[in-house]
Amino acid sequence: MLQELQIENLALIESLQLNLEPGLTVLTGETGAGKSIIVDAVGLLVGARASGEYIRAGADKAVVRGLFQAAGLPGLKETLSAMGVAAEDDGTLLLCREISRSGRHSCRVNGRSLTLGMYQRIGQMLVDIHGQHAYQSLLRPAYQMDMLDSLAGLMELRQEVGELYTRWQDLKKELEELCGDRGERERQRDLWQYQLQEIGAANLTPGEEEELSRQREILNNGERLARGAAVVYAALFEEEGRSAYDQLSRALAELEALAAIDPGLQTWQGTLEGITAQVEEIARSVRRYGEGLEYDPARLQEIENRLELIKDLKRKYGGSIEAILQYQAETAAALERLEQMAGQAAALEKEIELAAEKYREKALLLRRRRMEAAQKIEKELLKVLKDLAMPAARIRVDCSEAPQPGPAGMDNITFLFQPNPGEGSRPLAQIASGGEMARVMLALKSILADVDAVPTLIFDEIDAGVGGAAARAVARTLAAIGRRRQVLCITHSAQLASFAGQHFRVSKEVREGRTYTRVDVLRGEERVDELARLLSGSASSVAREHAAALLQQSGSIK
């Protein structure tokens, strides 16, 4: 609980210290006196967003401090330890929030500076604030699910469902990252198999394209090559007396005669003999080459088809036969890896099926428990609403199947409200009356107080729009919550104020041209006077008698 609240230079408050007690505490006062500033101060204390506009005119910074008694608060010790905050032996916790005009705000817990996010985590464990227009969370289906699960003691089962859902989704993500979806994997495998079959069927060899191009060139120029071979043969050997062979033979005969005279010429004679023999060999080879040439249209077409096939494969798989063969090798390796991945994927798919089955099993159990709990909670809420002067109202907790499973299960939870018989049930978001909304929220908070670990609840004019018997019923309910939690309530209702164990009056005063908010603890006759003012606007004798009667009645009820 919040034991002590200190506020410095916040809006109209220059300096204020409140020593707070357990149970129900009320703050009353004229409109504009600064009651909501105190609620804003507590909001800042537990992590609400800060603004320099909060700082009192003429001051450089505003400071809010709160001393809490938090011994035994579930999860707090572990949270503090994780953040490096030293816990006090007596369970006290000092929070300090400083707001500077320079924008350099600070958050400290037991003297240790924390980030705002860390600070908020602690603050949310200590105080729950419900402002005049703070019913929005109640309208959210997610919040309604939280309330149902908290009241039914299902949070542990829901956490287990969430862990199973996370495991299921993680496995699906792992499968997707491994090799995409199954259809895409099969398409990729079919493509690679087709490509390998196409390349393999071609039976390519390095250098083949160049050889085929050479053969095509020969076949396309066979007549020209034959004529040329004949010309070469005639020039080298056939033209009698004029051929190169005849000329060399005459030169060789003369050189032999000369070598007989000068043996030194025998070397040249030997060389010329070799040349003559080579010319003869070349001539005969050229003749055979020419005689072997023939035009073969079938072979030419075969070569053209083969070259066209190679061209097509080059267009698909690389700029050369070598590149195509490289692609073949790489694709074969990739296909092998894909086959291996397919095996891993099959194992993962079995794990996914098992994880989904485990999730569905627990989610269905959670759904059955929710539906059982919904009936019980409906009865409890109807009882509280009856106590809150709404005997004809009905609340139904609708548990419908969600379109998609999620970490919180397979349900949509919606609280449906029927204010009067015959009007039909509508979601809470469609409640038009602020008084009805306030009492519905109070009913929920009343039964939630038994399971909610937050020790301090703050209500800012929860009784707005509620009067008469309903206002008194609201007061009794808040007092009942106060027996289990610390409750701070800003109110304009004398009925509610009469039930408080501690009563503060908030007022404004002007000193030396400056406006100040002051807070006084009311006891005895001062409290009677304040209740009289709330009842009639003045402390008349009739109003004071009524106020005293209220205090007496509420005291006997408490």
Side-chain angles (χ1 to χ4, degrees):
M1 58 166 280
L2 179 58
Q3 293 180 320
E4 185 177 307
L5 177 65
Q6 296 178 358
I7 306 172
E8 298 176 8
N9 295 320
L10 190 73
L12 297 180
I13 299 174
E14 181 181 47
S15 180
L16 175 65
Q17 177 172 321
L18 296 181
N19 295 308
L20 301 168
E21 299 175 356
L24 175 60
T25 295
V26 297
L27 293 93
T28 61
E30 297 286 355
T31 300
K35 302 184 297 297
S36 292
I37 296 175
I38 296 173
V39 175
D40 290 341
V42 179
L44 290 170
L45 180 66
V46 294
R49 290 289 176 180
S51 169
E53 296 176 358
Y54 280 108
I55 302 174
R56 181 174 172 81
D60 293 328
K61 64 180 181 179
V63 180
V64 183
R65 299 182 186 87
L67 181 65
F68 292 84
Q69 175 50 251
L73 186 62
L76 179 62
K77 185 175 181 181
E78 293 78 9
T79 301
L80 294 175
S81 176
M83 296 180 184
V85 178
E88 299 293 338
D89 293 337
D90 61 359
T92 57
L93 200 64
L94 179 62
L95 272 66
C96 179
R97 187 81 183 276
E98 186 175 297
I99 307 168
S100 172
R101 290 195 185 277
S102 66
R104 300 182 63 182
H105 312 323
S106 68
C107 310
R108 294 190 298 276
V109 177
N110 283 357
R112 180 175 178 80
S113 293
L114 299 177
T115 65
L116 179 60
M118 297 166 69
Y119 188 82
Q120 287 172 334
R121 283 179 56 194
I122 296 174
Q124 290 167 1
M125 302 175 74
L126 300 171
V127 178
D128 194 359
I129 300 176
H130 303 274
Q132 296 179 44
H133 307 288
Y135 303 134
Q136 301 307 312
S137 61
L138 179 61
L139 308 182
R140 297 198 311 268
Y143 184 79
Q144 294 171 14
M145 178 182 287
D146 289 344
M147 284 194 295
L148 174 63
D149 291 344
S150 296
L151 290 167
L154 298 176
M155 295 304 285
E156 186 174 342
L157 176 58
R158 180 168 131 185
Q159 181 179 356
E160 187 176 353
V161 169
E163 291 171 353
L164 290 172
Y165 179 81
T166 300
R167 171 64 177 164
W168 177 25
Q169 298 305 309
D170 285 346
L171 286 170
K172 290 171 66 176
K173 184 178 180 182
E174 185 178 347
L175 176 61
E176 184 177 348
E177 291 175 350
L178 176 66
C179 48
D181 61 60
R182 178 183 291 181
E184 179 61 30
R185 190 169 67 245
E186 292 298 328
R187 286 190 293 273
Q188 185 65 68
R189 180 167 59 185
D190 290 346
L191 174 62
W192 283 344
Q193 286 178 338
Y194 169 79
Q195 291 176 339
L196 290 174
Q197 183 179 5
E198 184 178 37
I199 296 172
N203 196 24
L204 301 173
T205 57
E208 177 184 5
E209 185 180 18
E210 292 78 3
E211 176 60 23
L212 289 171
S213 296
R214 187 187 70 79
Q215 291 181 25
R216 180 179 63 180
E217 189 70 15
I218 291 172
L219 287 172
N220 282 330
N221 295 276
E223 185 178 351
R224 168 73 179 85
L225 290 171
R227 288 200 311 268
V231 171
V232 171
Y233 176 75
L236 291 179
F237 198 77
E238 192 175 50
E239 295 181 7
E240 187 173 350
R242 297 177 55 194
S243 67
Y245 180 80
D246 289 342
Q247 298 292 333
L248 288 172
S249 295
R250 285 197 297 271
L252 179 60
E254 185 63 26
L255 190 57
E256 287 178 354
L258 296 175
I261 300 171
D262 183 0
L265 297 176
Q266 291 178 354
T267 300
W268 292 355
Q269 176 187 344
T271 301
L272 190 55
E273 285 176 350
I275 292 172
T276 303
Q278 286 180 351
V279 168
E280 182 180 7
E281 177 62 28
I282 291 172
R284 296 185 188 281
S285 297
V286 168
R287 185 179 66 178
R288 288 195 299 272
Y289 170 79
E291 292 172 349
L293 289 172
E294 61 180 76
Y295 179 66
D296 186 349
R299 175 58 181 160
L300 180 60
Q301 186 60 50
E302 180 182 333
I303 291 173
E304 291 287 2
N305 292 342
R306 182 69 173 172
L307 287 171
E308 189 62 30
L309 172 63
I310 293 173
K311 179 181 178 182
D312 185 54
L313 293 175
K314 284 167 59 179
R315 179 179 56 80
K316 292 180 180 179
Y317 307 117
S320 65
I321 289 179
E322 288 75 11
I324 295 171
L325 295 175
Q326 177 66 26
Y327 180 84
Q328 181 185 31
E330 292 173 354
T331 303
L335 181 60
E336 183 178 357
R337 290 194 299 270
L338 184 62
E339 296 291 355
Q340 292 173 351
M341 284 192 293
Q344 297 173 14
L348 269 177
E349 285 167 355
K350 290 182 180 179
E351 286 191 65
I352 289 170
E353 290 178 7
L354 181 60
E357 183 62 31
K358 288 182 178 179
Y359 167 81
R360 282 191 291 269
E361 180 182 344
K362 287 294 182 181
L364 288 172
L365 174 61
L366 178 60
R367 185 164 195 221
R368 288 196 298 271
R369 297 275 178 85
R370 280 172 171 163
M371 295 176 74
E372 294 168 1
Q375 297 178 1
K376 180 181 178 182
I377 290 166
E378 286 171 3
K379 294 178 181 178
E380 294 180 11
L381 286 172
L382 291 178
K383 181 178 182 300
V384 178
L385 287 174
K386 185 177 181 180
D387 294 339
L388 288 170
M390 299 179 73
R394 295 290 182 269
I395 280 188
R396 182 166 63 87
V397 182
D398 180 61
C399 302
S400 60
E401 186 173 352
Q404 296 292 334
M410 300 188 298
D411 308 310
N412 281 332
I413 305 298
T414 306
F415 281 58
L416 302 175
F417 180 66
Q418 177 182 295
N420 299 296
E423 293 187 14
S425 297
R426 294 171 295 170
L428 293 183
Q430 298 178 18
I431 297 177
S433 167
E436 288 177 347
M437 176 62 79
R439 281 180 282 174
V440 169
M441 189 192 78
L442 188 56
L444 291 166
K445 281 295 178 183
S446 176
I447 63 173
L448 192 61
D450 289 327
V451 295
D452 193 355
V454 178
T456 299
L457 305 177
I458 298 180
F459 297 96
D460 189 356
E461 298 190 18
I462 191 174
D463 54 339
V466 180
R472 194 156 186 80
V474 168
R476 287 197 300 268
T477 302
L478 283 170
I481 296 175
R483 288 193 287 272
R484 291 167 286 173
R485 296 285 185 271
Q486 182 187 43
V487 179
L488 277 67
C489 187
I490 291 177
T491 183
H492 290 283
S493 167
Q495 290 94 332
L496 175 51
S498 69
F499 276 84
Q502 187 178 34
H503 189 161
F504 292 102
R505 181 181 60 212
V506 183
S507 58
K508 285 191 301 187
E509 61 181 8
V510 178
R511 300 195 307 268
E512 298 178 358
R514 294 293 303 276
T515 302
Y516 298 83
T517 290
R518 61 176 293 171
V519 180
D520 298 298
V521 180
L522 301 184
R523 296 184 179 88
E525 294 302 313
E526 288 181 326
R527 190 172 183 195
V528 173
D529 289 341
E530 178 64 8
L531 292 181
R533 183 192 67 77
L534 293 172
L535 286 167
S536 66
S538 65
S540 65
S541 59
V542 174
R544 292 186 86 259
E545 287 179 9
H546 190 184
L550 278 178
L551 283 172
Q552 184 176 1
Q553 292 170 7
S554 62
S556 63
I557 294 174
K558 288 190 291 183

